[in-house]
Amino acid sequence: MTANIAYDDVEVGTELPARTFPVTRATLVRYAGASGDFNPIHWNEKFAKEVGLPDVIAHGMFTMAEAIRVVTDWTGDPGAVVEYGVRFTKPVVVPNDDQGALIEVSGKVAAKLDDNTVRVDLTAMSGGQKVLGMSRAVVRLA
Amino acid sequence: MALDQSFVGRTYPPTAPYEVGREKIREFAEAVGETNPAYTDPEAAKAFGHPDVIAPPTFVFSITFRAAGQVVQDPQLGLDYSRVVHGDQKFAYTRPVRAGDRLTVTSTIEGIKSLAGNDILDIRGEVHDEAGEHVVTAWTKLVARAAEEA
């Protein structure tokens, strides 16, 4: 497990490069197939509205998968992630148009821990709302 | 109706092994737009010290969630799955999941709470490889929203 970032080069408050991830209906269909989660709230507008949602929403696990990319793209080795947890606070609503939705993710080093690990706190926004809460990863640096 | 507290601590039998394939990892990585070669190129994965391609950190959820089906569909527990939303998710990794792994999941109910009519269920899934070594633990919080009053 070799990260490209050295523990000694990082301070509390170091910001990771922010990323924006687009998500369309096609993205959701593809993710449903790859993950095996075919819950119709992620692809069927009629069903989603019947259960009280504003529209089709992204899988929470899709959003979680995108958010950690800010960490893995920073360290290089995705295997350097030691812990990762999130709370699903708001759904990412994905309209049926050419744009879909955007998930904007930023992260910063919140603590330097033992054994060359750091805790990164992530912020994920979509449509002006925070979609993940308590989004934290512990990652081992070089 | 509130869920039966006596289910806290119940552990379900380990699942049959799930064999992780390189092409399944590639499919998942492409679905989330990943371009890291550690997911698709065994040589790139080896350069990071892994024996084969590794899976993205959240890949294992498809396996642990299927295993949690034993719990959420347990007729004795009586969870109304049509009202369930995913509340929290956490993973703690001993090592990344990789191609060739044959993984079993052992699910345990860690907690049951009732809050404002919502049932909150915490499930822990311990994932082990064929040699019995720990790979990752997944904690999943499911919230069954209160049914509307008739």
Side-chain angles (χ1 to χ4, degrees):
Chain A
M1 329 286 154
T2 333
N4 294 333
I5 303 286
Y7 180 80
D8 291 338
D9 292 345
V10 169
E11 304 295 335
V12 170
T14 296
E15 293 196 7
L16 281 57
R19 297 281 308 272
T20 297
F21 303 104
V23 46
T24 65
R25 294 289 178 86
T27 317
L28 296 182
V29 169
R30 196 171 192 182
Y31 182 79
S35 69
D37 181 348
F38 296 102
N39 188 329
I41 60 173
H42 305 305
W43 52 269
N44 183 331
E45 194 166 314
K46 177 173 170 284
F47 184 92
K49 287 179 173 168
E50 275 170 9
V51 298
L53 294 166
D55 204 335
V56 161
I57 62 168
H59 304 69
M61 289 306 302
F62 175 83
T63 306
M64 187 176 184
E66 296 302 320
I68 195 65
R69 290 176 62 191
V70 164
V71 177
T72 55
D73 286 353
W74 179 60
T75 61
D77 179 9
V81 178
V82 176
E83 268 183 37
Y84 179 34
V86 307
R87 177 164 296 169
F88 302 107
T89 50
K90 292 276 183 198
V92 174
V93 178
V94 182
N96 189 21
D97 58 23
D98 295 338
Q99 272 78 47
L102 295 175
I103 302 169
E104 297 159 54
V105 184
S106 58
K108 68 176 175 189
V109 175
K112 294 188 80 171
L113 310 173
D114 295 339
D115 202 17
N116 274 22
T117 62
V118 298
R119 194 186 95 214
V120 175
D121 287 1
L122 295 163
T123 303
M125 306 284 294
S126 187
Q129 289 198 302
K130 199 170 167 184
V131 293
L132 297 178
M134 298 291 289
S135 182
R136 296 172 164 185
V138 175
V139 63
R140 182 165 291 118
L141 302 180
Chain B
M1 204 174 76
L3 297 176
D4 184 351
Q5 283 287 332
S6 72
F7 277 76
V8 175
R10 180 172 297 208
T11 294
Y12 291 75
T15 56
Y18 176 103
E19 186 165 327
V20 180
R22 280 183 185 170
E23 294 304 330
K24 188 65 193 175
I25 291 176
R26 178 197 301 276
E27 181 190 11
F28 186 91
E30 287 177 352
V32 296
E34 282 280 10
T35 53
N36 194 312
Y39 301 134
T40 50
D41 176 0
E43 293 310 313
K46 280 174 191 159
F48 284 123
H50 306 296
D52 203 327
V53 294
I54 64 171
T58 62
F59 173 87
V60 75
F61 181 77
S62 343
I63 306 169
T64 58
F65 190 64
R66 194 182 297 178
Q70 285 177 298
V71 181
V72 300
Q73 287 154 19
D74 182 342
Q76 289 184 298
L77 179 64
L79 188 72
D80 180 359
Y81 192 64
S82 72
R83 309 200 64 81
V84 165
V85 295
H86 197 177
D88 290 26
Q89 183 61 42
K90 186 181 172 188
F91 302 101
Y93 310 88
T94 296
R95 66 160 174 85
V97 168
R98 57 191 177 226
D101 273 338
R102 288 170 58 80
L103 303 176
T104 58
V105 186
T106 307
S107 300
T108 300
I109 298 180
E110 273 203 334
I112 293 175
K113 275 185 207 151
S114 194
L115 205 66
N118 298 321
D119 284 319
I120 302 166
L121 185 64
D122 287 299
I123 303 168
R124 187 182 77 244
E126 298 283 357
V127 182
H128 291 89
D129 65 16
E130 203 166 21
E133 300 291 326
H134 179 261
V135 177
V136 52
T137 300
W139 289 270
T140 302
K141 187 187 291 289
L142 298 176
V143 181
R145 293 165 298 151
E148 286 96 10
E149 293 298 322

